[in-house]
Amino acid sequence: MYKKTGLTLAALMIAGSVLAACGDGNNNSNSGNTGNTGGDAAGNTATNTAENTGGEAAGNLAADQVFRMNLTSEPPTLDPALMQDNVSGTVANGLFEGLTKADKNGEIVGGMAEKWDVSEDGKTYTFHIRQGSKWSSGNPVTAHDFEFSWKRTLDPKAATPAPYAYQLYYLAGAEEYNTGKGNVDAVGVKAIDDSTLEVKLKNPTTYFLSLQTFYTYFPVDKVAAEKDPNWANEAATFSSNGPFKLAAWKHNDSVELTPNDGYYGKADVKLQKVQFSMIADSNTEFNSFNTGKLDWAGAPTGTIPLPQLAKLRKENSDKLQIKDTANTYFYIFNQSKKPFNNAKVRKALSMAIDRQLLIDRVVSGGQKPAFGFVPPSITGESKSFREETQDAYFKEDVAQAKTLLAEGLKEEGMASFPATTLLFNTSDAHKQIAEAVVDMWKTNLGIEVKPEVQEWKVFLKNRTALNYDIARAGWGADYNDAMTFLDLYVTGGGNNDIGHKNPEYDKLIKDAYASPVQADRVKMMAQAEKILIEDEMAVMPIYYYTSSELVNPKVKDVIMDYAGNINYNNGYFEK
């Protein structure tokens, strides 16, 4: 049961729905992840949302093989070293391929590596690169491209630090080099020759092969990048090794992909084009789908307006697909500013909202209230992480929230709650959620918080620079392990955009990285999550995502995985 916390009916009836996460994406990231989003399949079973019903039989392919979906906004970057959101990641998943990839069932199979050997101690991987595969520039894909790419991402002197560099810390010497305490020659990746890549790990890592599907591990065309440092900024200079190449990029308008003739699996690529639009308004996106201008609307990078979503759910539309995903929607606090440096204040803000009411009346996609940070679909040892650990680290309680707020403000020497802004990126869904939450805070705590919208790239820059009070965030699994959520907030982490510092937390994460025993890792990560949420409320979890999308019934083999990431590489249209 959830105690109703006084949210006005007017605020609750605002139309809108939320967007799927991946990495820490625009509409999540990526998620991530923009993610999440990445390491994106981690041995998990994917769900084929456009199930193949035998449409691959000879002669059953439609003449028009152009797949069209909405990104909502401009990709901040298409450089694998700099990606941290699901808009960029959604495009990149067609442009790049790592050493491994996930098949239509979510199983990890060979990608750019046709095979690999693993040492007895689990710390040395030798990958054998497929011969004959080429970049869209015409250059051959070699082991040197992987070595170059990973070391480039780790470069401590890079003009723009890679936010996801820490995902490479599994490599021996990687953290030392990236933090300026080691040298590049000690990093555990080396091209023995053009087709052999040797990787040495700091510790045995059971999910290392799944990490290779994440964009931070994607290769970069060494020849193209050394020739032009701005190679990733325009279609004319872009080089990709995946199923598609970047045919056109009209900034803030559209992106178009066409097949990469140099890709080893080009015979399996049936789509002639993938066209991404950038429609910010969800009603326009919805109408574009209904008029046949889009084949896919909604998650992971778009949204379906609430009234239409509710109607489609009631009608049990065969075009609507909804599933749980490994993503969390949450708000973050700038801990470098008063009073958000005070845990009591953060707890008060979190305890004063009614998550179930927000889901039922505003979000309306069957999401689950979040009282932890790691989503239920993330695995633990033998069951889900949530089943094996504590399910809820706090309760909603308005009376307690009022007490904590007063105590926290007094501890910071503040007579009243200061002028505060809640920052979110362009999306009617984020706007509606923000308006509902600030209404709850006003009703239940008597405080005024101003919602403010910013364009995605500006929003992301301000959030990373700690130029905010409270901000919207979302995170999608990069791989199927709780670590993909919990290592975000280690001291100095590339995605630590809250200023969180806790030595005990850092040690638990470090020890969990090093442990080869999954049961021990789960216990340590659970202790870390307790610190993050129950003890400190470093972030304010709101709900665990579902993905909601509208799909043209003729689309087949376009896959949404467990984390809510889309894979269109082997998609096609049947007649």
Side-chain angles (χ1 to χ4, degrees), residues 276-431:
F276 297 104
S277 56
M278 301 176 195
I279 304 170
D281 181 71
S282 65
N283 288 296
T284 303
E285 178 181 355
F286 180 74
N287 291 333
S288 294
F289 178 84
N290 285 335
T291 56
K293 295 178 181 178
L294 292 176
D295 301 298
W296 187 288
T301 54
T303 187
I304 304 170
L306 184 147
Q308 286 78 13
L309 179 60
K311 182 180 178 181
L312 290 163
R313 292 183 68 191
K314 185 176 181 180
E315 295 173 348
N316 197 26
S317 171
D318 61 352
K319 296 180 181 179
L320 178 66
Q321 300 170 152
I322 297 178
K323 68 181 291 264
D324 292 335
T325 61
N327 301 266
T328 303
Y329 192 100
F330 57 104
Y331 282 173
I332 56 176
F333 307 101
N334 183 352
Q335 294 187 23
S336 68
K337 297 180 66 173
K338 287 187 176 185
F340 310 110
N341 60 315
N342 190 288
K344 290 182 178 179
V345 172
R346 300 193 297 266
K347 289 179 181 180
L349 293 169
S350 185
M351 294 169 68
I353 73 166
D354 188 321
R355 288 158 177 79
Q356 190 63 56
L357 195 60
L358 184 69
I359 291 168
D360 292 343
R361 303 290 182 83
V362 180
V363 183
S364 194
Q367 294 81 358
K368 295 179 176 63
F371 297 94
F373 192 45
V374 180
S377 53
I378 291 293
T379 59
E381 181 188 9
S382 58
K383 296 184 291 185
S384 77
F385 183 81
R386 286 270 67 92
E387 289 177 294
E388 294 177 350
T389 63
Q390 191 169 339
D391 185 58
Y393 290 100
F394 65 98
K395 294 181 179 179
E396 295 162 348
D397 188 326
V398 172
Q400 180 66 8
K402 290 179 178 178
T403 299
L404 288 172
L405 181 62
E407 290 176 355
L409 292 174
K410 183 178 181 180
E411 289 174 0
E412 300 306 320
M414 305 176 76
S416 61
F417 193 77
T420 297
T421 298
L422 169 58
L423 204 63
F424 57 93
N425 55 293
T426 306
S427 159
D428 53 357
H430 299 326
K431 178 177 183 289

Side-chain angles (χ1 to χ4, degrees), residues 108 155 165 172 185 191 221 264 307 373 417 421 503 505 510 512 520 525:
I108 297 301
D155 186 356
D185 293 333
D221 186 341
Y264 70 89
F373 192 45
F417 193 77
T421 298
Y505 183 89
K510 183 177 180 180
D520 294 340
M525 290 188 290

Side-chain angles (χ1 to χ4, degrees), residues 352-537:
I353 73 166
D354 188 321
R355 288 158 177 79
Q356 190 63 56
L357 195 60
L358 184 69
I359 291 168
D360 292 343
R361 303 290 182 83
V362 180
V363 183
S364 194
Q367 294 81 358
K368 295 179 176 63
F371 297 94
F373 192 45
V374 180
S377 53
I378 291 293
T379 59
E381 181 188 9
S382 58
K383 296 184 291 185
S384 77
F385 183 81
R386 286 270 67 92
E387 289 177 294
E388 294 177 350
T389 63
Q390 191 169 339
D391 185 58
Y393 290 100
F394 65 98
K395 294 181 179 179
E396 295 162 348
D397 188 326
V398 172
Q400 180 66 8
K402 290 179 178 178
T403 299
L404 288 172
L405 181 62
E407 290 176 355
L409 292 174
K410 183 178 181 180
E411 289 174 0
E412 300 306 320
M414 305 176 76
S416 61
F417 193 77
T420 297
T421 298
L422 169 58
L423 204 63
F424 57 93
N425 55 293
T426 306
S427 159
D428 53 357
H430 299 326
K431 178 177 183 289
Q432 292 144 15
I433 293 169
E435 288 175 343
V437 170
V438 300
D439 185 85
M440 290 181 182
W441 284 338
K442 181 178 181 180
T443 301
N444 296 327
L445 297 177
I447 61 175
E448 297 284 348
V449 177
K450 177 186 175 183
E452 180 179 324
V453 63
Q454 291 185 345
E455 187 272 330
W456 173 237
K457 292 176 74 172
V458 176
F459 167 79
L460 192 62
K461 182 178 180 180
N462 282 326
R463 212 178 61 179
T464 302
L466 292 178
N467 185 25
Y468 70 92
D469 299 325
I470 306 172
R472 183 208 74 82
W475 197 257
D478 299 325
Y479 48 92
N480 194 2
D481 188 88
M483 186 62 78
T484 189
F485 287 86
L486 298 173
D487 66 2
L488 291 177
Y489 297 118
V490 295
T491 302
N495 283 302
N496 183 351
D497 49 10
I498 63 177
H500 184 249
K501 300 177 182 178
N502 185 308
E504 183 183 359
Y505 183 89
D506 293 348
K507 185 178 186 304
L508 285 165
I509 296 300
K510 183 177 180 180
D511 290 347
Y513 266 128
S515 175
V517 181
Q518 183 66 1
D520 294 340
R521 294 184 68 253
V522 168
K523 290 178 182 178
M524 288 183 278
M525 290 188 290
Q527 292 174 46
E529 187 182 34
K530 178 180 181 299
I531 291 172
L532 191 73
I533 305 299
E534 181 177 314
D535 298 350
E536 299 185 343
M537 196 64 70

Side-chain angles (χ1 to χ4, degrees), residues 29-330:
S29 221
N30 80 197
S31 222
N33 180 126
T34 318
N36 5 172
T37 315
D40 284 320
N44 222 33
T45 300
T47 298
N48 182 353
T49 61
E51 187 176 3
N52 182 357
T53 57
E56 287 189 274
N60 203 34
L61 292 179
D64 184 11
Q65 294 291 328
V66 180
F67 179 67
R68 300 158 300 176
M69 67 176 291
N70 183 33
L71 291 177
T72 299
S73 64
E74 171 85 350
T77 181
L78 290 180
D79 183 339
L82 302 179
M83 290 179 193
Q84 57 177 324
D85 67 290
N86 69 341
V87 171
S88 302
T90 294
V91 180
N93 283 340
L95 294 173
F96 294 97
E97 184 171 287
L99 294 166
T100 66
K101 63 181 180 180
D103 67 13
K104 63 187 293 182
N105 297 313
E107 298 299 323
I108 297 301
V109 297
M112 282 294 124
E114 61 180 348
K115 59 182 179 179
W116 49 85
D117 306 307
V118 185
S119 64
E120 190 173 339
D121 64 2
K123 295 171 67 172
T124 300
Y125 285 71
T126 303
F127 293 95
H128 303 278
I129 310 299
R130 294 181 190 273
Q131 298 190 33
S133 198
K134 294 182 179 181
W135 292 93
S136 57
S137 64
N139 299 321
V141 179
T142 72
H144 299 283
D145 295 319
F146 284 91
E147 179 182 358
F148 171 79
S149 179
W150 296 2
K151 289 181 176 178
R152 173 176 175 265
T153 299
L154 290 166
D155 186 356
K157 297 180 181 179
T160 302
Y164 253 133
Y166 68 88
Q167 285 288 17
L168 292 164
Y169 285 5
Y170 297 95
L171 277 60
E175 182 175 7
E176 291 80 2
Y177 172 54
N178 184 239
T179 56
K181 301 174 184 177
N183 63 78
V184 66
D185 293 333
V187 177
V189 57
K190 181 180 181 180
I192 305 301
D193 53 40
D194 285 354
S195 60
T196 310
L197 184 74
E198 181 183 79
V199 180
K200 292 185 178 296
L201 305 182
K202 186 183 302 183
N203 301 292
T205 304
T206 57
Y207 49 90
F208 186 68
L209 289 175
S210 68
L211 280 170
Q212 303 313 304
T213 68
F214 184 48
Y215 45 70
T216 306
Y217 282 87
F218 287 165
V220 162
D221 186 341
K222 183 175 185 288
V223 175
E226 289 183 332
K227 179 181 178 181
D228 181 4
N230 297 315
W231 65 275
N233 294 348
E234 303 292 340
T237 54
F238 201 87
S239 184
S240 61
N241 75 317
F244 297 94
K245 63 182 179 181
L246 187 61
W249 186 358
K250 297 179 182 179
H251 294 286
N252 297 303
D253 179 74
S254 61
V255 172
E256 182 175 287
L257 311 185
T258 55
N260 174 14
D261 289 337
Y263 180 61
Y264 70 89
K266 64 181 179 180
D268 297 323
V269 178
K270 300 176 181 65
L271 294 176
Q272 298 159 348
K273 289 183 182 179
V274 178
Q275 294 179 337
F276 297 104
S277 56
M278 301 176 195
I279 304 170
D281 181 71
S282 65
N283 288 296
T284 303
E285 178 181 355
F286 180 74
N287 291 333
S288 294
F289 178 84
N290 285 335
T291 56
K293 295 178 181 178
L294 292 176
D295 301 298
W296 187 288
T301 54
T303 187
I304 304 170
L306 184 147
Q308 286 78 13
L309 179 60
K311 182 180 178 181
L312 290 163
R313 292 183 68 191
K314 185 176 181 180
E315 295 173 348
N316 197 26
S317 171
D318 61 352
K319 296 180 181 179
L320 178 66
Q321 300 170 152
I322 297 178
K323 68 181 291 264
D324 292 335
T325 61
N327 301 266
T328 303
Y329 192 100
F330 57 104

